[in-house]
Amino acid sequence: MSLFPSVRLRRTRQNEKLRALVRETRLSVEQLIYPLFVAEGIKEPLPIESMPGVNQWPVEALDTVAEQVVQAGIPAVLLFGIPAHKDEVGSEAYAEQGIIQQAIRRLKAIQPELLVITDVCLCEYTSHGHCGVVKNGTVQNDESLVLLARMAVSHAEAGADIVAPSDMMDGRVEALRHALDEHGFSGLPIMAYSVKYASGFYGPFREAAESAPQFGDRRSYQMDPANVREALREVELDVAEGADMIMVKPALAYMDVIRRVRENYDLPLVAYNVSGEYSMVKAAAQNGWIDEKQIVMEIMTGLRRAGADMIITYHALDIARWLRP
Ligand code: PBG
């Protein structure tokens, strides 16, 4: 008997060719979705201070960023709108000339092949900043469903390829599916933000989208970070209601949730690498404390390994560049 090991895992780690042969997880640019903020009433791209490298875009300037996204090989964008006027019921969210409706038409005209996914939620459009209709200080579930369904239909009419409800009202997938079908959009997929936690990681997004709640917080509709069995119930309902893709959000502190959902459901699974996750990496990289490329690629690989099929990330343009041979 030898003192030395006969099984040696280092044998397949000797060089990059060998490592690539035995690699278990791959990341491709085709799995990335790039979020875009479109704002009314600005003339030039407006940098978002807490998210270095990310801008609010005027509709007129979308051509440049859409061109970059397409050139990078990124298949899809996720749109968020920042209207000039907000009101109690988020009227601009479902207005025919609303900021998002204009953005969708523009993008589909200039880059018809680029998939346009739209975030369906009222928080960017309401004066109180909550994701639904507020009465007596509480967010009304069923009244909100009516408006969210209208919003999804108006996105579909403008030419959206996929709608993505992120409001966390009960029954919204069914409400959207029903309304879309009734208006002739039975072929339009729903990407449901099924498992969306009430998270501090959305902080920079709320600056970017000007959508912070004006009173209280979102814990009466978004999930408690402590729960995972409840996450499976959320997914179960969305699947039963007709979701075509399901999502876990945020991503990094919730990799176990991604894994659990992956093991329990066969639907395409999306991970949202959210604003706070992006800003932390950017801030550390700008200070020279971490290697940005290495860290970002490790995060993306981790999300794929946990079970995500697709990743929504503000790093998408950089990743596309790094993935190029
Ligand atoms: C709601 C919405 C939010 C995000 C995506 N859709 C914010 C929230 O629920 O408060 C957050 C995305 C991110 O942080 O990158 N419209």
Side-chain angles (χ1 to χ4, degrees):
M1 246 205 10
S2 161
L3 276 175
F4 303 111
S6 53
V7 177
R8 292 178 188 268
L9 297 185
R10 290 184 56 191
R11 285 184 198 122
T12 53
R13 293 178 197 153
Q14 290 181 74
N15 59 57
E16 181 48 28
K17 288 267 183 309
L18 258 172
R19 289 191 292 270
L21 272 179
V22 302
R23 190 157 291 141
E24 300 172 34
T25 309
R26 286 182 204 280
L27 175 69
S28 133
V29 67
E30 293 167 294
Q31 297 159 330
L32 302 178
I33 298 168
Y34 187 57
L36 278 182
F37 298 99
V38 191
E40 209 165 25
I42 58 173
K43 291 264 170 293
E44 298 292 326
L46 185 67
I48 297 157
E49 209 179 315
S50 58
M51 300 178 71
V54 178
N55 296 317
Q56 288 184 358
W57 294 89
V59 171
E60 298 72 31
L62 281 176
D63 305 33
T64 40
V65 64
E67 170 83 21
Q68 279 175 34
V69 170
V70 170
Q71 288 302 321
I74 296 165
V77 289
L78 171 61
L79 298 188
F80 295 97
I82 301 127
H85 304 288
K86 305 183 189 229
D87 61 27
E88 282 283 301
V89 289
S91 310
E92 285 297 307
Y94 33 87
E96 204 193 322
Q97 291 306 323
I99 182 68
I100 279 299
Q101 289 77 2
Q102 293 179 43
I104 299 166
R105 287 192 291 265
R106 178 86 172 206
L107 286 170
K108 292 314 289 185
I110 55 178
Q111 299 286 357
E113 305 282 297
L114 179 64
L115 291 173
V116 173
I117 309 172
T118 57
D119 188 81
V120 176
C121 185
L122 294 175
C123 65
E124 295 120 63
Y125 304 88
T126 50
S127 41
H128 46 71
H130 277 288
C131 303
V133 180
V134 173
K135 277 202 183 135
N136 306 321
T138 50
V139 177
Q140 306 292 307
N141 196 84
D142 300 4
E143 280 173 53
S144 303
L145 293 182
V146 178
L147 300 184
L148 292 161
R150 260 176 84 176
M151 184 177 182
V153 169
S154 89
H155 291 177
E157 283 169 345
D161 296 294
I162 299 175
V163 291
S166 72
D167 52 284
M168 290 303 275
M169 297 302 119
D170 286 321
R172 76 263 164 83
V173 172
E174 186 168 22
L176 261 60
R177 185 71 275 157
H178 189 73
L180 289 167
D181 292 355
E182 274 204 324
H183 287 82
F185 298 106
S186 58
L188 195 92
I190 296 177
M191 174 188 282
Y193 284 74
S194 304
V195 185
K196 180 172 176 182
Y197 288 95
S199 171
F201 286 100
Y202 309 149
F205 174 95
R206 292 181 186 167
E207 180 199 326
E210 301 168 16
S211 67
Q214 298 304 302
F215 67 90
D217 54 41
R218 302 208 203 289
R219 285 184 290 182
S220 77
Y221 41 105
Q222 299 181 345
M223 275 188 57
D224 182 338
N227 294 354
V228 66
R229 297 195 306 266
E230 188 184 348
L232 297 179
R233 294 188 70 202
E234 283 284 4
V235 175
E236 185 180 336
L237 282 171
D238 283 0
V239 173
E241 292 175 26
D244 300 282
M245 306 174 206
I246 50 186
M247 192 193 299
V248 174
K249 173 189 175 192
L252 285 184
Y254 301 89
M255 285 218 196
D256 61 314
V257 182
I258 296 174
R259 166 63 30 201
R260 286 287 291 276
V261 172
R262 172 75 301 152
E263 282 169 357
N264 284 277
Y265 293 90
D266 290 326
L267 276 80
L269 176 57
V270 191
Y272 197 144
N273 176 226
V274 302
S275 58
E277 298 170 337
Y278 173 86
S279 300
M280 291 193 306
V281 170
K282 282 288 181 183
Q286 285 183 347
N287 275 297
W289 295 337
I290 56 168
D291 178 329
E292 181 175 354
K293 173 179 171 184
Q294 192 184 355
I295 292 277
V296 170
M297 295 311 265
E298 195 171 328
I299 288 172
M300 297 301 138
T301 301
L303 296 176
R304 293 271 302 125
R305 195 189 62 242
D309 297 303
M310 300 160 245
I311 302 168
I312 302 172
T313 177
Y314 304 95
H315 296 289
L317 283 169
D318 290 329
I319 298 168
R321 191 159 35 80
W322 294 327
L323 283 174
R324 228 166 272 147

